[in-house]
Each structure stands twice: as structure tokens, then as C-alpha cells.
Amino acid sequence: MRRALMAGNWKMNKTIPEAIALLSGLKERIGDIRSADIVVCPPFTALSSAASILKGSNIELGAQDVFWKEKGAYTGEISVPMLIDVGCRYCLIGHSERRTYFGETDETVNMKVKAVLKGGLTPIMCVGETLEERRNGKTFEVVGRQVRGGLLDLAPEEIGRVVIAYEPVWAIGTGINAEPQQANEVHAFIAGLLEDLAGKGISDSVRILYGGSVTPDNVISLMSEPRIDGVLVGGASLDADSFSSIVRDGVSAHLSKNRGG
Ligand code: PGA
């Protein structure tokens, strides 16, 4: 059974005091959950304070982006060793907002995935089609290209350490989530690709998260799908009550699906 991974992507939100308040709320509400991995991805400026608050807790820290070089004259960038230094275990890579607004490509995603793996962090590599691509029947083509491109030249064992997040661009921040079966169909397609790239033993262990307008109201039906192993939550991760419900209800749906009930 794949262990559920429930992640929050705060994007460009929360000052340090706000981050501390949110994390304290999360620790109170979901600090007892041991049957899943729980990850929050605050902005860079709040990582250090977040790490102090989360020390010794079940909630782990991720970054929202990284640069692939280890150090040097790259003004404004943050390296993998810096993320490790501040206490991160995970790093989002290739989020659609990075692809759309900041010129991220499958090639840069691939370089970042390699750098993150080399440093010993877990990459959460984001893929997903736009509405136009879906309407034109290009979903599998686009997602397939992003998965293959992002994982280019990785050894099977390395692929085994990656987490994939399927986030249809049309579902991000729109209030329109993918239908659970519709998302699961893409997850199953990605799982098939992973099997081609790394073999079944390894592909079966790779977690595939769904992201895009996940809320406390839709998380149970999403997490009840066989190949949805977790969620990547944007807007609803900014509030302690809503992210806690998503985590608690999503994890129990995942556990009961795996018990076959
Ligand atoms: P959303 O964002 O939950 O606000 O739709 C998801 C994401 O961008 O990761």
C-alpha cells in the first residue's frame, strides 16, 4: 500500500507571524496523525520559523521551488543545500504557475528534479494540461511529455523517489476540481508511463497526488479513487480548519480504500 501524502502549497502567502499561527493551528488539529505524510510548503521567508515550530512534529517542510546549481553567482536563487540547511524534506518542482509566469520548461524541471534527488530531498513534480489542451483531446500527450521530460535520464531507483502531482491547470484556483474518475484516469496513465520507465515494482511505489481546487467537500471522493495517493492543496491549505479536515478525511478515505471498504 502506498502511504498517503497530503501537501499544502501556500504560494505567495503568509508573513512569518501568519505562518506561525497557521502551523500552531495545524499542530493542534492534526499533530496526532501518523498514518500519512503531511507536508506544508510555505514561502522561503517563512521556512526557518516554520522549521522551529514543526521540530519534532509529524508535519514536514517543503519548498515551492529551487535552483539546480549548488551555489554561486545566481542572484535571487535558492539552492538544494540551502533548503536542507533550513529543514526541508520536500520540494515542489514545475508547478503550473512557475511554468506559466516564470518560464519553467520540462528541461529546467528535469535539472531541478535531478538536483533535488542528488541532495536527498523528495521532489514533488507537478504536471497538468490546460483547458484548451483538454478540449483538444491532448491531455495524455501533454501530461506524457511533461512526465517523460521531467524524469529524463533518471535511473529507475531515482524515479522511485519522486512524487508526481497531477494538477490540471484549469482546476487550479478555479473552484472547479477534476471529477474523481477523470483525475484517476490520468493518474493511471501516469502510472503506466512510470512502469515503462522504471518497471512495475518501482512504478507501484510512486505516489501520484491530485491538485486543483481540493476542499474538505471533495477530498473524500478524490482520495477514494484507487490511484489517487494524496493531494496538493493551494487555497484551502491557508486555513487551519480546512487543511486539517482535508488531511484527516482524506487519510481516512485512503486507509479505508486500501482495506477494501
Ligand atoms: P488550489 O491550488 O488548491 O488553490 O486550486 C492547487 C495548487 O496550485 O497546487
Side-chain angles (χ1 to χ4, degrees):
M1 170 184 143
R2 288 175 295 273
R3 190 173 158 86
L5 196 166
M6 312 299 280
N9 170 15
W10 295 5
K11 309 190 180 185
M12 197 173 71
N13 293 292
K14 304 291 178 186
T15 60
I16 292 172
E18 288 167 350
I20 292 173
L22 173 51
L23 293 171
S24 311
L26 292 179
K27 277 193 356 182
E28 265 166 43
R29 290 167 178 76
I30 51 174
D32 60 317
I33 297 181
R34 305 280 153 187
S35 47
D37 295 328
I38 305 172
V39 180
V40 290
C41 303
F44 289 129
T45 47
L47 285 174
S48 176
S49 309
S52 319
I53 294 254
L54 296 178
K55 206 174 171 72
S57 89
N58 58 329
I59 303 172
E60 296 181 296
L61 206 53
Q64 297 175 16
D65 185 31
V66 70
F67 189 50
W68 57 83
K69 296 281 189 181
E70 283 194 10
K71 61 178 178 180
Y74 303 102
T75 302
E77 293 298 315
I78 303 281
S79 70
V80 173
M82 290 170 181
L83 295 184
I84 294 170
D85 187 34
V86 78
C88 288
R89 296 276 312 277
Y90 293 82
C91 185
L92 302 181
I93 299 178
H95 188 279
S96 77
E97 287 148 18
R98 302 243 27 114
R99 293 178 191 258
T100 305
Y101 306 131
F102 304 103
E104 196 88 75
T105 63
D106 292 336
E107 290 71 41
T108 59
V109 167
N110 182 237
M111 288 193 272
K112 291 179 178 190
V113 168
K114 286 175 179 162
V116 161
L117 286 171
K118 184 167 169 233
L121 299 179
T122 298
I124 302 178
M125 186 180 93
C126 307
V127 299
E129 82 287 1
T130 63
L131 186 57
E132 197 191 346
E133 289 161 344
R134 176 163 283 269
R135 287 195 173 134
N136 291 331
K138 294 208 176 328
T139 298
F140 294 128
E141 181 187 322
V142 170
V143 170
R145 188 177 65 228
Q146 291 173 338
V147 171
R148 285 183 187 279
L151 302 179
L152 193 70
D153 296 332
L154 294 191
E157 312 77 70
E158 292 175 312
I159 292 177
R161 291 169 46 213
V162 173
V163 174
I164 310 253
Y166 169 58
E167 299 203 302
V169 178
W170 47 272
I172 295 177
T174 58
I176 305 167
N177 61 287
E179 289 304 321
Q181 293 91 334
Q182 194 180 31
N184 191 69
E185 189 185 26
V186 181
H187 285 222
F189 166 76
I190 294 171
L193 263 179
L194 294 172
E195 188 178 332
D196 290 348
L197 295 171
K200 184 147 176 69
I202 286 175
S203 69
D204 275 350
S205 71
V206 173
R207 290 174 295 181
I208 306 177
L209 318 183
Y210 168 78
S213 297
V214 175
T215 65
D217 294 330
N218 58 28
V219 70
I220 294 177
S221 56
L222 287 162
M223 288 294 293
S224 299
E225 289 294 323
R227 203 45 172 104
I228 300 186
D229 309 310
V231 287
L232 178 55
V233 186
S237 73
L238 297 174
D239 174 79
D241 282 327
S242 73
F243 189 60
S244 300
S245 310
I246 287 172
V247 170
R248 199 169 282 287
D249 293 349
V251 170
S252 66
H254 183 73
L255 294 172
S256 70
K257 142 184 103 190
N258 284 297
R259 278 195 301 267

